[in-house]
Amino acid sequence: EVQLVESGGDLVQPGRSLRLSCTASGFTFGDYALSWVRQAPGKGLEWVGFITSKTYDETTDYAASVKGRFTISRDDSKNIAYLQMNSLRTEDTALYYCTRGNFLFDRWGQGTLVTVSS
Amino acid sequence: EIVLTQSPGTLSLSPGERATLSCRATESVSSNYLAWYQQKFGQAPRLLIYGASNRATGIPDRFSGSGSGTDFTLTISRLEPEDFAVYYCQQYANSPPWTFGQGTKVEIK
């Protein structure tokens, strides 16, 4: 069974950093791109960014709202993808989902909550 | 950036009725790269439809997608109790950013 499990969400102050993890199982992790999608409380879905597989050079791309502040990486030996979030803002407060795919999201984790507040 | 507008915001229907959800794009979605997701309360979204009209694995055939260009539709032929949820469209045409509609809530009348 395909599983994606996010972790690392927390309450942080504006300007601080946080790293989220996505641990995958049930499929050949290295063959797939991974994406992060977030959902602010009571709001809709927003694509954050993706990382492709090693076959495609682990290419990354990001939404304009996070470009330059967020970085996605992966460790295929551990089946983990990461979302490094720097210079956090109050508007980054959201439930962050890890998803399989880089443009079409066929599996989702349950999300990890990031709250940015002073 | 392609902006997707979904209508209506809320659809109030009874089990057994037909639901028709609309998603309109600000520019043509090339190759009909348009997907639909279902999100039940407190759960992660689930992929229903991709390529505008292809059902994802395990999705019942009461769900169907149609449309092209800038206008797309998700139809649920006969609502089951488990279908009451929020539905999002998403485009993945050309190049990022991928964008989602704001969602349509299907609620029990």
Side-chain angles (χ1 to χ4, degrees):
Chain A
E1 178 192 3
V2 172
Q3 281 201 313
L4 298 167
V5 179
E6 303 91 339
S7 60
D10 204 349
L11 169 63
V12 295
Q13 294 180 326
R16 308 287 287 200
S17 298
L18 196 64
R19 188 178 79 163
L20 307 183
S21 299
C22 170
T23 304
S25 60
F27 64 101
T28 305
F29 182 78
D31 288 350
Y32 287 85
L34 276 296
S35 296
W36 290 89
V37 175
R38 68 184 180 182
Q39 187 169 35
K43 302 298 185 182
L45 303 169
E46 179 187 16
W47 170 73
V48 172
F50 66 70
I51 185 166
T52 63
S53 65
K54 190 164 291 186
T55 300
Y56 295 94
D57 299 325
E58 298 186 359
T59 300
T60 57
D61 204 348
Y62 303 92
S65 58
V66 307
K67 193 169 287 187
R69 300 187 299 123
F70 289 12
T71 302
I72 300 173
S73 60
R74 61 190 298 159
D75 184 340
D76 290 354
S77 69
K78 297 180 179 178
N79 285 7
I80 300 179
Y82 301 100
L83 177 63
Q84 177 67 42
M85 303 185 294
N86 298 332
S87 303
L88 281 161
R89 304 168 181 169
T90 55
E91 56 264 37
D92 295 320
T93 293
L95 187 62
Y96 283 75
Y97 292 105
C98 172
T99 71
R100 191 174 74 171
N102 56 333
F103 53 84
L104 190 63
F105 314 121
D106 69 343
R107 292 290 189 273
W108 297 62
Q110 286 304 303
T112 187
L113 182 62
V114 174
T115 303
V116 184
S117 175
S118 54
Chain B
E1 172 177 321
I2 298 177
V3 176
L4 301 177
T5 302
Q6 293 184 239
S7 60
T10 302
L11 201 48
S12 298
L13 295 168
S14 300
E17 291 194 292
R18 182 184 187 90
T20 303
L21 288 67
S22 173
C23 176
R24 178 163 290 178
T26 52
E27 60 188 83
S28 183
V29 178
S30 61
S31 303
N32 291 338
Y33 285 155
L34 192 287
W36 291 92
Y37 298 83
Q38 175 194 64
Q39 186 177 33
K40 297 180 182 179
F41 183 77
Q43 296 186 18
R46 175 176 71 148
L47 177 65
L48 296 177
I49 301 286
Y50 64 93
S53 61
N54 303 288
R55 276 187 299 277
T57 303
I59 302 304
D61 60 8
R62 63 180 181 273
F63 291 92
S64 63
S66 63
S68 64
T70 60
D71 290 294
F72 299 87
T73 300
L74 174 69
T75 301
I76 311 171
S77 59
R78 290 178 314 280
L79 283 165
E80 298 287 340
E82 63 267 28
D83 299 336
F84 291 92
V86 179
Y87 293 83
Y88 295 95
C89 57
Q90 177 234 335
Q91 65 79 23
Y92 50 101
N94 301 330
S95 58
W98 316 133
T99 52
F100 292 87
Q102 82 279 19
T104 289
K105 181 180 181 181
V106 179
E107 66 175 22
I108 300 176
K109 187 174 182 179

